[in-house]
């Protein structure tokens, strides 16, 4: 109920009342001493004994005892009592109770024993005195006389409720019940019933403030009905619980008797008791105290419920997880930087940046010990460059256990955090499962394909990974199944991804991104020679002298049988060669096959590749055999690394339309339109007839037509091809280019420069045009690429055209460059 604000009169005295009456005082208004009680509401027609300490209320009763023995009672919360003891104005409630002092006896300890009888409700107007006690102007409120069948029915119902309440509670004097049945006024009945235990302070205060007697009784009825339902429900729960406990106790005593009988017969001893065995395992665990406390609590529940209860299986499974997890500290051998570098070099060729970062971590770990939190590394790069195998090498270099979990296609948050034990078949998440499988709390944990995690109605797994991959939070990682913190701060987490963009920003911010680009041909040759060929020879049961593959053959595989940034397909082709040779070796060992005289040593050279693997699958070399008009060579970034693409422009006679084909995305279409606008703007400088655009349709096509293409980095390639087609100047076939172009001809920076230059290098390109803003990225390119490619930074289309367009000896044939539509 909303409280009203009452103020003190300006003429309130500090000791006595004002002599003159206020003009608005009514006949039944009075000025009574104010007694402030706590959360004990005294209703009219009730007599209550109290013990009152020294204070304003004490002095108010003392004065009332000297006058007419009547006081005004108000009831406030315990927290508000202190405010009424001060001399500051307080917020008075709207309704109080006028009570009579039946007894006021001062005690030796300074308090007084009083007996108060509630008389009537009173409406409070204002205070007229503050010290030494409050005196308040109020008016008496009398209940109106009401009668009728509805009133009688309501009173009978409330009396019946009182009987039911007494039956549930018991120990209530029958005189009190009979007194309630003799009450014949609804307001009086409501006031008396309110003193029962079913009503709290708020309920009693609400009934007190209700002046209408019928409405007051209705409120009492509602509170009694609610409390009766709670009592019935509580009695049912207690009865059901008693039955279950009785059955559990019976089973417990029977099991104890069986255990004692077996022990007396010598068939069993105490050590075989599963409860005792669990306690022993928990006490012997190397785990924090909070883990042991939680486990012992579950053991206690198991002992109370019994091993045959339905809940026992769930508790046993939970305890098995707790007791089998590696909670304690682990000891590792001294870290050797030189040995770690040797391991990394044995497993991977190149990748100097990654190896350097790992060795830096090992050096700091050696000097600082456990003071430094384990880093969260994220290897980003195309497939087949060795991201996952790097994690295995790091584990070997650190001397730790290795775990790998693939997150590709994971869409349920519970896969990371686990399910709560309330679910049937609940289990911890993949993180805790992996930790348990290797029995180590500080392994190297590889989270593969973190960019392919999805989200649906079951939650967002990337949000659950935020805590796992945050060095500031994973020290207290909480799995939903365990519900106790597990320390992941000692785990070296390594995430791998093919693309950085799909990873959410908050998750990306928690990881140290290390980009791994594709390999050059020379690097692939070294990897094949030092790693892939020996590995596949061993897998196929071939000795070194039984199969030799020349460098020329490997280079042919790289150039004409694979097209990739990594070496995964190259390994497949080498495996295919090994299978062919293994069949020959196996056949040669069978004399009855008539092939025993065939040689046992096989050398695969360049000319033998086609015999074993069939014709080449890709064409190595430049995209064009000669300089062409209207054809420019661009480079593109793909999830598998980089690739080159030719952009063809063909003008035909028409009405000035622009046609784009080759499955181009919206951004690439806009780049073509921007290039067209730039060429029209510069037509005079480029020597193009202004009427050329109204008399020709321009068709732009980018093979391969079935492959979707998008992005702004083909802007300068599109512009160069358009200018070449309209001016008749051919584009140099040994030049590749990348860069976004603006309407004013400025060249803007692009991404994926390493992958694009590697693709151009594989295709035999000798000159590479790149935006000047990307000059800072040149240092990240492999040394072989920087040595073989002539890298030309540009900032405008004029610089691009000076390099890309070849000088034409004779003007182009107009009929060839612009056939009729």
């Amino acid at each position: 109920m909303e409280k009203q604000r009452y103020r003190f009169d300006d003429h309130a005295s500090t000791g006595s009342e004002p002599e003159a009456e206020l003009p608005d005082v009514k006949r039944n208004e009075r000025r009574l001493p104010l007694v402030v009680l706590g959360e004990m509401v005294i209703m009219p027609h009730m007599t209550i004994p109290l013990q009152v300490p020294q204070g304003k209320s004490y002095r108010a009763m003392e004065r009332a005892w000297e006058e007419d023995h009547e006081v005004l009672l108000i009831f406030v919360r315990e927290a508000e009592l202190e405010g009424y003891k001060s001399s500051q104005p307080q917020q008075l409630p709207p309704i109080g109770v006028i009570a009579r002092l039946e007894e006021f006896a001062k005690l030796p300890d300074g308090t007084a024993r009083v007996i108060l009888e509630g008389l009537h409700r009173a409406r409070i107007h204002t205070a007229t005195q503050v010290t030494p006690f409050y005196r308040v102007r109020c008016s008496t409120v009398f209940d109106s006389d009401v009668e009728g069948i509805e009133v009688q029915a309501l009173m009978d119902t409330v009396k019946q409720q009182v009987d039911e309440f007494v039956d549930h509670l018991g120990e209530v004097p029958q005189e009190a019940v009979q007194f309630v049945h003799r009450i014949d006024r609804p307001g009086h009945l409501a006031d008396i019933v309110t003193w029962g235990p079913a009503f709290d302070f708020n309920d009693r205060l609400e009934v007190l403030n209700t002046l209408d007697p019928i409405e007051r009784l209705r409120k009492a009825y509602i509170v009694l009905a609610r409390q009766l339902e709670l009592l019935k429900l509580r009695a049912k729960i207690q009865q059901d619980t008693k039955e279950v406990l009785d059955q559990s106790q019976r089973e417990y005593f029977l099991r104890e008797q069986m255990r004692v009988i077996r022990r007396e017969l010598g068939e069993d001893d105490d050590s075989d008791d599963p409860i005792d065995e669990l306690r022993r395992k928990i006490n012997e665990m190397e785990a924090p105290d909070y883990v042991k406390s939680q486990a012992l609590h579950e053991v206690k529940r198991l002992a109370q419920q019994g091993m045959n209860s339905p809940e026992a299986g769930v508790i046993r499974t939970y305890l098995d997880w707790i007791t089998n997890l590696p909670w304690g500290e682990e000891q590792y051998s001294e870290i050797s930087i030189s040995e770690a570098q040797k391991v990394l070099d044995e497993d991977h060729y190149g990748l100097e940046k990654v190896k350097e970062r790992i060795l830096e971590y090992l050096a700091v770990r050696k000097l600082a010990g456990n003071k430094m939190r384990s880093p969260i590394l994220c290897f980003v790069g195309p497939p087949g460059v060795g991201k996952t195998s790097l994690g295995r090498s790091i584990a070997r270099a650190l001397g730790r256990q290795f775990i790998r979990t693939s997150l590709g296609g994971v869409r349920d948050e519970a896969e990371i955090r686990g399910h709560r034990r309330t679910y049937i078949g609940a289990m911890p998440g993949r993180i805790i499962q992996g930790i348990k499988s290797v029995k180590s709390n500080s392994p190297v944990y590889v989270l593969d394909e973190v960019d392919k995690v999805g989200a649906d109605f079951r939650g967002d797994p990337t949000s659950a990974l935020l805590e796992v991959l945050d060095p500031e939070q994973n020290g207290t990682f909480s799995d939903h199944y365990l519900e106790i913190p597990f320390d992941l701060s000692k785990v070296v987490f390594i995430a791998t991804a093919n693309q950085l963009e799909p990873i959410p920003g908050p998750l990306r911010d928690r990881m140290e991104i290390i980009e791994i680009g594709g390999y050059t041909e020379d690097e692939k040759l070294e990897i094949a020679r030092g790693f892939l060929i020996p590995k596949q020879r061993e897998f196929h049961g071939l000795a070194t002298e039984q199969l030799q593959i020349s460098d020329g053959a490997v280079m042919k595989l790289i150039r004409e049988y694979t097209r990739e940034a990594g070496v995964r397909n190259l390994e497949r082709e080498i495996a295919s060669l090994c299978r062919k040779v293994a069949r020959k070796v196996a056949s040669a060992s069978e004399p009855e096959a008539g092939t025993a005289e065939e040689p046992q040593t096989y050398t695969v050279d360049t000319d033998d590749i086609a015999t074993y693997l069939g014709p080449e699958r890709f064409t190595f070399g430049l995209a064009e055999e000669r300089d062409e008009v209207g054809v420019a060579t661009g480079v593109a970034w793909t999830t598998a690394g980089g690739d080159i693409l030719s952009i063809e422009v063909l003008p035909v006679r028409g009405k000035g339309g622009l046609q784009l084909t080759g499955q181009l995305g919206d951004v690439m279409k806009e780049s073509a339109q921007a290039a067209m606008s730039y060429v029209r703007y510069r037509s005079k400088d480029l020597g193009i007839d202004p009427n050329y655009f109204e008399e020709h349709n321009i068709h732009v096509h980018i093979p391969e037509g079935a492959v979707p293409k998008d992005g702004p980095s083909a802007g300068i390639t599109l512009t160069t091809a358009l200018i070449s087609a309209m001016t008749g100047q051919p584009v140099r076939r040994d030049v590749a280019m990348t860069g976004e172009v603006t309407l004013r001809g400025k060249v803007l920076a692009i991404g994926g420069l390493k992958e694009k230059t590697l693709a151009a290098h594989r295709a035999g390109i000798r000159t590479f045009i790149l935006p000047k803003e990307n000059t800072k990225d040149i240092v990240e390119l492999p040394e072989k690429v920087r040595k073989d490619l002539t890298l030309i930074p540009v900032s405008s289309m004029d610089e691009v055209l000076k390099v890309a367009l070849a000088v034409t000896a004779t003007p182009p044939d107009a009929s060839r460059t612009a056939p009729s539509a």
Side-chain angles (χ1 to χ4, degrees), residues 278-340:
L278 284 171
R279 287 198 181 98
R280 183 186 62 80
K281 288 178 65 176
I282 292 169
N283 290 325
E284 293 176 357
M285 264 195 332
E286 293 184 9
D289 292 339
Y290 65 86
V291 176
K292 292 184 178 181
S293 175
Q294 174 71 12
L296 291 173
H297 173 72
E298 294 296 326
V299 170
K300 184 178 179 181
R301 288 184 58 222
L302 183 63
Q304 291 174 347
Q305 297 188 11
M307 299 297 291
N308 298 323
S309 67
E311 187 74 12
V314 177
I315 299 176
R316 286 294 301 270
T317 304
Y318 177 73
L319 290 172
D320 286 342
W321 275 100
I322 289 184
T323 54
N324 287 295
L325 281 173
W327 299 93
E329 294 286 338
E330 296 187 30
Q331 299 295 327
Y332 293 99
S333 58
E334 183 69 20
I335 296 174
S336 173
I337 305 299
S338 58
E339 186 65 26

Side-chain angles (χ1 to χ4, degrees), residues 546-567:
Q546 289 178 315
L547 173 61
Q548 295 291 330
I549 303 176
S550 67
D551 291 350
V554 175
M555 192 60 72
K556 187 175 181 67
L557 290 177
I558 294 170
R559 291 177 172 178
E560 299 179 6
Y561 286 84
T562 62
R563 181 169 289 177
E564 58 178 344
V567 292

